[in-house]
Amino acid sequence: MIISVASGKGGTGKTLVATSLAVSLENQVQFLDCDVEEPNAHIFLRPVIDRQEVVAIPIPQVDEQKCTFCGKCAEVCAYSALAVLPKTVLVFPELCHGCGACSYLCPEGAISEVERGIGIVEMGHSGDIEFIHGKLNVGEAMAPPVIRAVKGHIDPRKTVLIDVSPGTSCPVIEAVRGSNVCLLVTEPTPFGLNDLALAVEAIRKLSIPCAVLVNRAGVGDTKVEEYCREADIPVLLHIPLDTEIARLYSRGIPLVEGMPRWREVFLKLFGDIQDVASMQHNGRKVS
Ligand code: SF4
Ligand code: SF4
């Protein structure tokens, strides 16, 4: 089963929840940190990293001996990564998405492709938890290829927990795509509700069932619950606003490690998440 843990808004405690689920389950768990622009699950899980691979995308290289400067490559590039001047072709690597359209359509066969590294994937273990995370190089904008590279390591025999970046943009969609269920972590505030609704809209487009966890319960109002009731989305757990929990979070200690009584709560949460996924699988409307 693949469970993605997402949030419409940053700072809701998503990683606290994802890492606590992993530590509670412990066996046969794969933890994928797909928040490749700002991975931080390793702070909580403290994995031993033993392998690394470079993530690269193919970018064009123009042979100006063959090029007639016809301009077709710049025309077909949807990302303005090429500029054709009278006597040269400029390539802007940081804008290139590696789609290959320019080399495919060049009438002179003047474009070959070279690899450009944009990030890395690191693999290791945190106890019995298999840990994988991606890191996008500083200054790079192309998170999806790094996310795909992380997800390329998914072991379908295991329970896979995916820590998704906050928001509703392309990296979120790339990370959540293919999950059996998505747990959305939010907080009971107007901002939390607004961003939750946006996240639900995005996840529903992927036809992935979702459920909600309310973190810092008690800090705001009950509008998140009202929204979930109306939208038919199960709220599986409330984690209260608690200075001890905040202290553990600030020190990078998983909740269930610092407060072991939460382990049972997270094991029940896992069972409830499985129920949400199987209800959808059996054709019942759950979200
Ligand atoms: S499409 Fe090919 S021939 Fe035309 S400008 Fe681009 S590289 Fe040169
Ligand atoms: S590979 Fe695609 S994105 Fe990159 S320069 Fe060519 S057409 Fe543009």
Side-chain angles (χ1 to χ4, degrees), residues 6-161:
S7 64
K9 170 182 174 303
T12 58
K14 167 182 60 64
T15 302
L16 173 102
V17 170
T19 53
S20 290
L21 260 175
V23 174
S24 302
L25 296 172
E26 209 170 4
N27 288 318
Q28 292 298 305
V29 175
Q30 228 186 4
F31 191 98
L32 272 52
D33 191 349
C34 284
D35 188 355
V36 301
E37 283 160 279
E38 229 173 318
N40 65 352
H42 61 281
I43 296 169
F44 292 85
L45 294 177
R46 302 179 294 278
V48 176
I49 300 295
D50 49 33
R51 282 168 297 147
Q52 190 187 78
E53 66 189 29
V54 173
V55 182
I57 59 169
I59 62 162
Q61 189 173 52
V62 179
D63 180 347
E64 291 187 350
Q65 301 300 316
K66 291 185 186 169
C67 177
T68 57
F69 309 101
C70 68
K72 195 156 243 146
C73 52
E75 260 170 52
V76 299
C77 181
Y79 305 99
S80 304
L82 292 162
V84 180
L85 304 179
K87 289 190 176 160
T88 190
V89 178
L90 301 177
V91 179
F92 304 105
E94 62 287 352
L95 298 180
C96 174
H97 281 51
C99 71
C102 54
S103 58
Y104 183 73
L105 292 168
C106 171
E108 308 300 331
I111 300 179
S112 55
E113 291 179 333
V114 290
E115 296 282 295
R116 188 174 80 87
I118 58 166
I120 56 169
V121 175
E122 291 183 324
M123 295 145 274
H125 285 87
S126 168
D128 289 334
I129 301 166
E130 187 182 346
F131 181 91
I132 302 156
H133 68 176
K135 290 180 178 174
L136 188 67
N137 290 348
V138 175
E140 293 291 347
M142 290 273 295
V146 181
I147 294 170
R148 281 195 290 277
V150 173
K151 292 178 75 179
H153 292 276
I154 284 178
D155 181 347
R157 295 165 302 178
K158 295 189 174 178
T159 298
V160 181
L161 293 166

Side-chain angles (χ1 to χ4, degrees), residues 126-287:
S126 168
D128 289 334
I129 301 166
E130 187 182 346
F131 181 91
I132 302 156
H133 68 176
K135 290 180 178 174
L136 188 67
N137 290 348
V138 175
E140 293 291 347
M142 290 273 295
V146 181
I147 294 170
R148 281 195 290 277
V150 173
K151 292 178 75 179
H153 292 276
I154 284 178
D155 181 347
R157 295 165 302 178
K158 295 189 174 178
T159 298
V160 181
L161 293 166
I162 298 180
D163 192 352
V164 180
S165 57
T168 52
S169 57
C170 291
V172 174
I173 302 302
E174 194 64 54
V176 174
R177 194 194 308 278
S179 299
N180 298 99
V181 58
C182 179
L183 180 66
L184 289 162
V185 180
T186 188
E187 57 184 26
T189 63
F191 287 130
L193 175 57
N194 178 69
D195 293 344
L196 172 67
L198 293 174
V200 166
E201 203 180 311
I203 304 301
R204 280 183 162 168
K205 282 192 182 133
L206 296 171
S207 301
I208 292 170
C210 54
V212 163
L213 183 152
V214 179
N215 191 21
R216 300 193 195 99
V219 77
D221 52 32
T222 58
K223 289 208 164 54
V224 164
E225 283 81 358
E226 287 163 27
Y227 163 79
C228 289
R229 210 168 21 250
E230 276 167 30
D232 210 6
I233 298 170
V235 179
L236 301 184
L237 181 63
H238 291 78
I239 298 177
L241 180 68
D242 181 303
T243 48
E244 177 62 9
I245 294 174
R247 195 179 59 81
L248 291 171
Y249 185 74
S250 68
R251 292 172 58 204
I253 300 172
L255 175 57
V256 298
E257 216 174 275
M259 298 169 82
R261 67 176 183 277
W262 278 90
R263 187 177 292 263
E264 281 307 309
V265 177
F266 272 86
L267 286 174
K268 178 173 183 314
L269 172 66
F270 176 63
D272 292 342
I273 293 171
Q274 283 182 307
D275 288 346
V276 171
S278 61
M279 283 163 83
Q280 174 79 6
H281 184 71
N282 294 334
R284 291 170 60 186
K285 183 171 173 282
V286 292
S287 67

